[in-house]
Amino acid sequence: MGPVPASEHPELLGAPVRAALGYVPEAYVFEIDPTISDTDALCQAHGLPLEVMGNAVLVTGRRQGEERRCCAMALGSRRVDVNGVLKRRLDVRKASFAPMEEATESSGMEYGGITPVGLGAQWPVWLDETVRDVEWLCIGSGVRRSKLVLHGASLLALPGAELVEGLTR
């Protein structure tokens, strides 16, 4: 099955993503083999360029006992500057990727399917400016067995979403 309107196939989405579809009504979804959910494997299997793939990474840090977090969204061809830009923006001594168990529990999504759509207020969404310019961006759907396709700029409609210049290198 090729991409179909996500609103017509909620069974292909994680529960938090289904609940947040109103923010990205133009989103499409397509089913994939869950064993190729990771960006490189999906690109290889379907001949997709890294420049249309979006990677959401959940990053955490602590300052004076307070946990600080964000979801950083970047293209598959770029790397998030965790120890520079994110560490400074979070105002923490050390920023690191959220452990898998914490990421899945706090997002309500499967590892390998985590997406900014449906994360909620506890995870502000920081987008690299290159994400905004992708006409059709392929991102997680909350589960490993499908992917969302939407306009990169539409992610700015998500609660707490903002562009962060220099987020990637």
Side-chain angles (χ1 to χ4, degrees), residues 13-21 106-110 115-120 141-142:
L13 308 171
V17 177
R18 276 194 305 272
L21 271 183
S106 67
S107 69
M109 300 178 199
E110 294 177 4
T115 179
V117 179
L119 275 180
S141 65

Side-chain angles (χ1 to χ4, degrees), residues 4 8 11 21 24 26-27 29 44 72 79 101 111 127 135:
V4 294
E8 295 176 15
E11 75 281 1
L21 271 183
V24 289
E26 83 290 354
V29 65
Q44 190 170 31
R79 295 293 167 249
E101 186 176 307
Y111 202 76
L127 304 172
E135 186 175 353

